[in-house]
């Protein structure tokens, strides 16, 4: 089970263009570039806030569990471009 499965996804609207809207805060989460990946804080199913990498959350939302040993890659190499079409599940080798 991926860490992302702990996020209470009912509190968010996630779109294929990489936007994430927090229903609880009534605002979009920031997509500012962080080193090395954009991270945001999400409310988990137990009500606690925790940080997750944005690209992994978007992939998980649309595609489900990330297979063990696999990573989510930014096809363009731009780690702030979290559009679904720019993400792919790959082996680290």
């Amino acid at each position: 089970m991926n860490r992302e499965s702990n996020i209470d996804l009912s509190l968010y609207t996630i779109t294929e263009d990489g936007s994430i809207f927090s229903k609880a805060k009534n605002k979009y989460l920031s997509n500012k570039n962080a080193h090395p990946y954009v991270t945001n804080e999400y409310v988990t199913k137990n009500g606690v806030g925790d940080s997750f990498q944005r690209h992994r959350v978007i992939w998980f939302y649309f595609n489900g569990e990330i297979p063990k040993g696999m990573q989510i890659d930014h096809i363009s190499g731009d780690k702030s471009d979290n559009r679904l079409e720019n993400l792919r599940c790959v082996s680290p080798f």
Side-chain angles (χ1 to χ4, degrees), residues 14-19 56-64 84:
I14 301 174
T15 62
E16 291 183 11
D17 72 357
S19 297
R56 290 182 56 89
V57 172
I58 292 168
W59 181 270
F60 176 80
Y61 182 81
F62 287 102
N63 297 291
L84 183 60

Side-chain angles (χ1 to χ4, degrees), residues 43-84:
V43 176
T44 60
K45 292 175 182 171
N46 65 5
V48 176
D50 197 0
S51 292
F52 294 85
Q53 294 175 340
R54 187 183 192 99
H55 64 290
R56 290 182 56 89
V57 172
I58 292 168
W59 181 270
F60 176 80
Y61 182 81
F62 287 102
N63 297 291
E65 294 285 330
I66 300 165
K68 186 173 181 163
M70 301 295 278
Q71 298 177 347
I72 304 306
D73 177 54
H74 292 84
I75 297 167
S76 70
D78 179 356
K79 293 179 173 119
S80 67
D81 181 356
N82 291 301
R83 294 172 298 131
L84 183 60

